[in-house]
Amino acid sequence: SPPPPPAPPIVPPAASTCVLTGAWRQKGAMVRGRTASTVEPTLRSTGGNINVTATGAGAFTFVCASHDHQCPGGLAVSNGTGTLATTGQSVTVKLFNGTTYTGVVNSTYLCDLITFLSPAPRDGNFITWERTVARTPPPFDLKVTTATYLGTSAQGFVPVAVAVVTPSTPTVLVAGNGPQRFGRTPDALLAGNATSNASIAVLDVRAQGTPTVTALFVLGGRIDHMSVAKMGSGGEYVAVAGDFGIALLQYSTGNKMQVLWHNNLSDVEHGSCGLCCVGDARCRTSVGPDGTAGLLLPVDTEKTVVGTFDVKGSRLGAKEVHYNGVTDIEIVDTKELAKTVMFTFFFDSSTGHEPMVVPGMLAMDYTLSAERYRSWPWGSGYPYRQPGPCDGDVADSRAELIKTSSTGSGLLFVGRSDGGNGVFGCQTDNVLEVAPLFGYDAYTQPYNMQAQAISYLGRMKTSTGQLLGGTLNLVRLTSGARGGNTLRTNGVADDPSGNLYYAQTAACCIENMPNLTVSGHPLTPTGDGFAVQVLPANASGRLVWHHFAKPTQPQHTGSSAVDIAVGNGIVAAIAQASQCMVEVNAIKGTGGPSASAPAGPQQGYLVVFPQVSPTRA
């Protein structure tokens, strides 16, 4: 059953907002009778309080003490009266099962649980924690500048990627497939012509009024993915991949789109047909600020070709990788790590006791001949059976998305865990080292999950691939048991302030779902579908969590997230939907299904809203 709400905190006068960069594990993440002393990682904080409790009684409070020279960023211990505990003092702790445990403080400053209480609580008596600093919930109403379908049932447009480009006027590029022409005569690129389905729409999305499609560029029969990077001399590099191969375009102010080079990949795979991503397989691409482009080309369920090209289209490298799933690619060229291509993947393995899916990420040079580093390098699940913080407390886990932060430092990482216990509580290069894991409510603490898919949202150190911190994210059923439900994160971005933006597909139900509105429009109080979530840079709260489905829906309909982008002061997120979605300042000539009609085909859907203030939490 879920832990009850924490008791009111004891807040000393000098306390400030507590930023957690480490966390104790929940009872739900502990199995097979581990003692607390053998599984609990180190806590770190930069100010404020964390209340350790299991029953809401508030046994004692840790007071952040970032000035501690013995344990920088460590935690001082309060005995529950607002007075700091002293070495040797007896402290009573409420345990998860409702009993109490009395231990002796070994140190005024808490650097590690093992050095805090002596002896440690025994098997089954696990301590849990709840954040006690004030947290303002996300607003019930999300003000959007536009929420619109991108086609109609007769003239569809199903998006695959979105980008915000940065001329003086807020402009969004949406890549997708379908006969929709938005009332325009398209400009043909590559092998595209007026009847081609694959296209890039350019939208003027000013803060007021209906967005306008100002240009449309067609490419071929199908587009799979698009990646955009700002050029140093102005304009944007636009890398696209589809049945036409891979191409690098240049977009510049005035709705100009120029083909810099095109490669149909006939010398890489599929023999003479020369097609990228045939059948059900889908490509992904990435482009860096120097114009280097990378490509994932799935060949079959266990083989993917990774390719890299320079700004002139010359082949830099090609590499076959053999994993169950290669999920994303990112070109990285920053001060922290130069001229590097990264790709994420997962593979089937075993712990020696049961099968297990293990994540992976590989960082290589542009030629794909030299390895920079490998995250989760052990190649199997066996290390997760070693005595240590992740011993046995793991579930199938996948690395799914990787993206360079727009702040210029670090990587944005999205993982998946099939159940409450992912490998993301331990470091990527050392299974015995704890990785910072945040949690503060029922949507970030994965109890009662069984094997539902949940998301891991985190940051990585660019130069090493180590986890800098993250949170598990899930949704909850409306039943009294508050069981967990599936959440998939399909897009990630951040803004210059470090706020984190996610495009998600959520089963029932996200936080405050019965109370949510979009620009005053009511939404369905339960159900599943496309959602957008925004977290502050430290992931210590929630700034936005919203969905967009109307209250009345046709049967057997749904929606799913595709991508999200941030730039030029705006956020743009896209989805595929057969649901009735909220419309605000909709593009002329577009529209969704009727609530009384049977389920129709998936349509493209776009929502745009202002970049979120980092001070809302």
Side-chain angles (χ1 to χ4, degrees), residues 417-442:
S417 171
D418 289 347
N421 309 319
V423 305
F424 306 112
C426 291
Q427 270 301 355
T428 60
D429 59 347
N430 182 359
V431 75
L432 301 180
E433 181 182 348
V434 170
L437 190 63
F438 316 128
Y440 50 85
D441 65 3

Side-chain angles (χ1 to χ4, degrees), residues 105-123:
V105 177
N106 290 334
S107 171
T108 298
Y109 294 104
L110 174 66
C111 292
D112 194 300
L113 177 68
I114 297 174
T115 66
F116 171 56
L117 292 178
S118 178
R122 303 313 306 163
D123 290 4

Side-chain angles (χ1 to χ4, degrees), residues 128-155:
T128 184
W129 61 266
E130 292 280 352
R131 291 293 302 274
T132 62
V133 293
R135 185 178 72 88
T136 303
F140 290 161
D141 187 59
L142 177 64
K143 303 293 185 186
V144 301
T145 55
T146 188
T148 179
Y149 288 95
L150 294 170
T152 66
S153 58
Q155 297 289 318

Side-chain angles (χ1 to χ4, degrees), residues 344-579:
T344 54
F345 53 90
F346 61 88
F347 57 93
D348 292 334
S349 180
S350 173
T351 64
H353 295 262
E354 63 277 317
M356 178 182 173
V357 179
V358 179
M361 186 176 80
L362 189 58
M364 306 191 73
D365 71 345
Y366 276 176
T367 67
L368 297 170
S369 60
E371 186 174 309
R372 306 250 196 250
Y373 63 79
R374 185 183 295 255
S375 296
W376 302 281
W378 20 89
S380 77
Y382 278 87
Y384 294 107
R385 279 292 186 175
Q386 297 182 50
C390 276
D391 181 6
D393 297 331
V394 291
D396 289 347
S397 303
R398 294 164 172 82
E400 296 207 315
L401 297 173
I402 189 73
K403 191 179 184 72
T404 304
S405 171
S406 64
T407 64
S409 178
L411 300 168
L412 311 180
F413 174 77
V414 172
R416 168 183 161 184
S417 171
D418 289 347
N421 309 319
V423 305
F424 306 112
C426 291
Q427 270 301 355
T428 60
D429 59 347
N430 182 359
V431 75
L432 301 180
E433 181 182 348
V434 170
L437 190 63
F438 316 128
Y440 50 85
D441 65 3
Y443 302 94
T444 57
Q445 297 182 20
Y447 51 84
N448 292 354
M449 282 303 299
Q450 281 86 43
Q452 302 285 359
I454 63 178
S455 288
Y456 171 82
L457 313 175
R459 292 182 184 273
M460 279 182 161
K461 187 174 182 180
T462 307
S463 58
T464 65
Q466 291 176 307
L467 295 170
L468 297 173
T471 184
L472 296 171
N473 190 205
L474 57 138
V475 289
R476 289 288 173 190
L477 298 172
T478 56
S479 64
R482 298 172 73 204
N485 217 339
T486 298
L487 178 74
R488 296 292 303 273
T489 299
N490 297 335
V492 59
D494 68 349
D495 64 29
S497 297
N499 289 334
L500 300 161
Y501 298 76
Y502 300 98
Q504 300 180 310
T505 304
C508 185
C509 296
I510 66 175
E511 183 184 23
N512 291 325
M513 195 166 181
N515 304 311
L516 300 179
T517 57
V518 170
S519 293
H521 294 268
L523 303 172
T524 182
T526 61
D528 53 19
F530 165 52
V532 168
Q533 185 172 190
V534 185
L535 305 181
N538 58 24
S540 63
R542 193 172 293 118
L543 303 178
V544 169
W545 206 6
H546 251 75
H547 73 108
F548 304 90
K550 290 181 178 180
T552 304
Q553 297 289 338
Q555 291 185 339
H556 311 300
T557 59
S559 59
S560 57
V562 175
D563 197 10
I564 193 166
V566 182
N568 210 18
I570 63 171
V571 183
I574 54 173
Q576 299 178 8
S578 58
Q579 286 178 317

Side-chain angles (χ1 to χ4, degrees), residues 201-268:
V202 181
L203 283 73
D204 181 339
V205 289
R206 301 172 193 265
Q208 302 295 326
T210 301
T212 303
V213 177
T214 55
L216 186 69
F217 302 96
V218 294
L219 297 159
R222 188 186 81 202
I223 186 169
D224 286 350
H225 196 237
M226 174 182 73
S227 175
V228 174
K230 187 168 181 61
M231 299 173 61
S233 57
E236 268 84 11
Y237 289 119
V238 181
V240 288
D243 65 354
F244 46 81
I246 181 173
L248 185 66
L249 317 175
Q250 179 183 343
Y251 175 79
S252 55
T253 305
N255 296 327
K256 298 176 182 178
M257 192 78 81
Q258 174 187 358
V259 178
L260 299 180
W261 56 262
H262 169 224
N263 190 319
N264 67 7
L265 304 175
S266 58
D267 60 335
V268 178

